[in-house]
Amino acid sequence: MVFVDESLRPPGNSYGERPFYTMSGVTIPKESLESVRKELERIVGQDYWHTTEAYNGKLGPVEELRPRILELNEYLAQVVDFNIVTVQTEIGIGAEGLQRAREECITTLARVATNSRREDPPRLIVFEQLKEDVYPGGNKRDHDVLTRLKSAGLVHRSVTVESISPWDEKLLWAADLSSWSFYHRLARSDETWFAPLKPVTTVLHARTGMALKGSNPHLPQQGPGVQPTVGTQRGGGPAVASESRLVHQGKEGQALRAVRAVADAQRPALDHSVSLGVGTNSPKTIDAIKERFDWYLNAQRSQRADPAASEPIRQLLEQASQALKGRQRLQTSDQPAPRPEIGGPQR
C-alpha cells in the first residue's frame, strides 16, 4: 500500500520564493501494516499527529516533539519498503496551476510506485482526504487521475485509490512526515529532518520522470526511454512538447536550485510525456505529441532510417488519446467546481 501526502510553496508566497509542489508516497508491505501502525502510535503517544503542528509546539512542548520527528523518521527508514518523492518546480498561476502540478506529481508517483520490481507491487494508493469545503471536488479529481491512467494502460488496472482522514488511518502519518521533511529540505535547505529517509527514498522530477538522486532496487530504473518527440532543445536533441505555462520566479535555496538544474539537464521520455498528458486530462498535449511523432517518423524515413520502436509508441499514443476522449465524454455533464486559490506557504 502506498500512503500519500503533499507539501508546497505556492506562487506569490509571502517569502518571495520560487514555488514548488512535492508529493511523498510511502510504501509499506501489507504484512507490516498493523505493526507499523501500532509503533507509530506508540512513538507519538497520542491518537493525532501532524508534523507541522508538532514542530510548531501546537501538540506539546517543542523540546519533546521535535526530537520525536527524527525518531519517527528513523523508525520509518527501517520498516518502509520504499519512499517516492515527486517534485514539480514549474507552477502555473492560480488554482489551475497548482492543480496541474498536483496531477503531474500524482501521475509520476503512481506510475513508478505501482510498477515496482517487487513480486507483489502495490495495488492500493491512499491519499489524505481533502476537505470538501476547502477543495471542492478535490478527492474526485485525485481519483480521476488514476482512472485515466488505468484507461490508457499506463497504470495496472487492478490499482485502486482511497481518500482517508489521518484521524482514521494512522499510516498516513508516515507520508506526512516524509512530505514535511522534504519540504524543509527544499524550502529551507535544512537536511536534518529528511536525512534518515534518504537511503530509502527515490526523488523524481514530475516533468521529466527522471530520478534526481539515488535509486531503489525495487523501483523501475529511470532510463532515457524513447526520446524522439517534439522539436529540438539545446544541443540539437529532440525535446518533448508541453503546454506553455507562466512560471513564477523568485529567490530559491541551494537545494531547490539543485533540483531544477538536474531536471533541466534531463530529456523527458516520450512515454512519460504521454503519461502527463493523460494524468492532467490534456488531449491537446497528446495530439501535439502524435503530430510531432509522425513528423519525426517521416523525417527518419526520408533519410532511409528505420525508426526504433515506432509501432509500440504509436499504439501508446493512440490508446492515450482514446482514453482521454472517452473520459471527456463521460465528464461533460459532471464538471467539478474549480479549486479555490491557495494562499501563503504550506507546511
Side-chain angles (χ1 to χ4, degrees), residues 100 229-230 240-243 270 273-278 280-296 314 316-326 328:
R100 184 180 180 98
T229 51
V230 180
V240 174
S242 61
E243 294 183 352
L270 186 146
S273 296
V274 172
S275 299
L276 294 184
V278 172
T280 58
N281 200 24
S282 303
K284 290 183 179 179
T285 297
I286 302 298
D287 289 343
I289 295 175
K290 286 174 63 178
E291 179 182 348
R292 297 302 292 172
F293 188 66
D294 286 339
W295 174 87
Y296 163 78
R314 186 185 297 278
L316 171 65
L317 287 167
E318 185 60 33
Q319 189 169 358
S321 179
Q322 293 302 317
L324 285 188
K325 290 175 182 177
Q328 284 206 325

Side-chain angles (χ1 to χ4, degrees), residues 185 191 198 201-205 210-216 259 262 266:
R185 179 173 181 263
E191 301 278 352
K198 286 181 68 175
T201 300
T202 295
V203 181
L204 305 168
H205 194 275
M210 305 296 285
L212 300 179
K213 189 174 183 180
S215 62
N216 185 300
V259 168
V262 173
Q266 300 288 352

Side-chain angles (χ1 to χ4, degrees), residues 8 10 34 37 66 94-95 97 107 113 127 182 205 241 279 290 296 344:
L8 62 138
E34 188 57 30
R37 188 181 289 117
R66 289 187 181 179
T107 296
F127 289 97
F182 194 76
H205 194 275
K290 286 174 63 178
Y296 163 78

Side-chain angles (χ1 to χ4, degrees), residues 140-153:
K140 182 180 182 300
R141 284 195 292 271
D142 287 351
H143 292 212
D144 283 347
V145 174
L146 271 296
T147 299
R148 292 192 296 267
L149 292 172
K150 290 194 293 182
S151 297

